Amino acid sequence: ELKLRAGANFELVGSSPAIGQLKQLVDKIAPTGSRILINGAPGSGKEVVARLIHKRSRRADNAFIAINCAMMSPSRIETELFGTETEEGARKIGLLELAHGGTLFLDEVADLPLHMQVKLLRVIQEKAIQPVGQASELPVDVRILSATHRDLGELVADGKFRDDLYYRINVIELNVPPLRERGQDTLILAHHILSRLASLQL
């Protein structure tokens, strides 16, 4: 699943203490440029948080690109991220190159295959990519935001996620509160969603 939308208005909806604290943290860490690991249950709004971090960062005028690692086959995710040559000899630009100067959001990063974890680690360390089938590398300047609903620490201990990559993407850790901790935000969110649906029908 790929999402290349840009310019949309993403905000954290709610007035609970939990969401208020999250908004303050986003405002504080967005301008830092650091890589961030966003933890949270499915449906808690991790992508909204990632888009808001991008929107309030120094990269806001450049691309925000999201990829769901769980929705990609191991064979496809490499070509999507790094690019490749087509059968016609043309070059398909990868998402890392498209995100140059902007932000790449890796949703469900825990599902990234081990061989891709090695490649991503090299991108972070060398700030360069090597498209599939090409001998030369290309420089890339991209901020990586990652998200997961799983415990990456446990996956590292089980040998299912590289510890060196874990510490690279987890420079700052951000936890998105579940709805059960947000009190009346449930009603506020319901009203917000219904209002948006009603406006789309006009």
Side-chain angles (χ1 to χ4, degrees), residues 68-172:
N68 189 319
C69 300
M71 301 292 289
M72 290 282 169
S73 67
S75 59
R76 184 185 172 196
I77 195 168
E78 181 173 5
T79 58
E80 291 293 344
L81 283 174
F82 290 87
T84 186
E85 289 187 3
T86 66
E87 294 180 356
E88 295 77 19
R91 191 167 73 87
K92 178 183 177 182
I93 299 176
L95 299 182
L96 280 160
E97 188 175 350
L98 288 173
H100 180 72
T103 302
L104 178 69
F105 175 53
L106 299 173
D107 198 8
E108 299 303 342
V109 70
D111 291 283
L112 199 64
L114 282 171
H115 77 282
M116 287 303 302
Q117 293 178 29
V118 175
K119 289 180 176 291
L120 181 61
L121 181 64
R122 178 170 175 76
V123 171
I124 294 172
Q125 292 174 334
E126 304 298 330
K127 296 183 179 180
I129 61 170
Q130 185 173 349
V132 178
Q134 293 192 20
S136 58
E137 290 188 332
L138 300 172
V140 290
D141 171 25
V142 60
R143 183 185 194 180
I144 294 176
L145 306 178
S146 308
T148 182
H149 71 280
R150 302 167 67 182
D151 189 328
L152 281 189
E154 288 187 0
L155 294 178
V156 168
D158 293 339
K160 297 179 180 178
F161 200 89
R162 293 182 62 95
D163 59 347
D164 46 7
L165 179 60
Y166 173 64
Y167 290 113
R168 288 285 188 169
I169 65 174
N170 191 20
V171 176
I172 298 176

